[in-house]
Amino acid sequence: MPDYSLLAKTIQSLTESEDDPIALMATVACEVHHSDDRFDWTGFYRVTGPEMLKIGPYQGGHGCLQIPFSRGVCGAAARTGEVQLVADVDAFPGHIACASSTRSELVLPVKAATGDLIAVFDIDSDQSDAFTQGDADALAVILGNVFART
């Protein structure tokens, strides 16, 4: 597990004077991706229209270009506004296989200061049951601190 306290401080230091959401997403994706070997794909899907997510800044192999709110783990996080902690993606109804290597997934809603959903933050792992509630909680705090100023 990453040292989330150090990760939060590093991300805060890198982003403290930035308010552009894309620049923030790129920085967060990079820092989180390189903080733990469990993280095989790390990135954002941005809300770009009604009920539609499109790929944003990410680290790792290719991602899906578009994901409707009605499909997959990312769609579920966008649709419900709730963190999706999926130990086995094959057991998740409607899972979208953007990468055949993905075994587990953690997706967190990302909200602007206004409370509007602007994206979801998606982390895939090639390991089954790779993520914990501790991961979800720590990343939610980091995302909240970074995107509260957008």
Side-chain angles (χ1 to χ4, degrees):
M1 184 174 286
D3 179 341
Y4 281 115
S5 176
L6 177 60
L7 182 61
K9 288 176 187 172
T10 301
I11 290 172
Q12 179 64 29
S13 174
L14 292 168
T15 63
E16 65 187 335
S17 62
E18 185 58 62
D19 63 359
D20 178 76
I22 301 299
L24 293 170
M25 289 177 194
T27 303
V28 170
C30 180
E31 291 301 317
V32 172
H33 185 75
H34 294 288
S35 71
D36 195 310
D37 289 340
R38 295 174 299 161
F39 303 165
D40 192 49
W41 192 96
T42 309
F44 290 86
Y45 283 95
R46 301 170 301 115
V47 177
T48 59
E51 306 289 310
M52 182 59 67
L53 299 167
K54 287 192 181 181
I55 197 152
Y58 68 92
Q59 300 278 311
H62 294 286
C64 294
L65 296 181
Q66 296 184 38
I67 300 176
F69 281 26
S70 60
R71 297 195 56 220
V73 181
C74 290
R79 184 176 61 254
T80 66
E82 296 175 1
V83 171
Q84 302 294 306
L85 182 57
V86 181
D88 177 4
V89 295
D90 292 331
F92 189 90
H95 174 257
I96 301 169
C98 296
S100 61
S101 61
T102 301
R103 297 289 167 254
S104 58
E105 196 165 352
L106 172 61
V107 182
L108 299 98
V110 179
K111 295 184 178 181
T114 60
D116 294 329
L117 181 73
I118 59 169
V120 297
F121 185 52
D122 180 19
I123 306 174
D124 296 352
S125 181
D126 57 4
Q127 303 170 29
S128 296
D129 201 17
F131 306 107
T132 67
Q133 188 62 49
D135 292 314
D137 294 344
L139 290 165
V141 169
I142 290 171
L143 293 170
N145 289 339
V146 169
F147 292 96
R149 57 182 174 260
T150 61

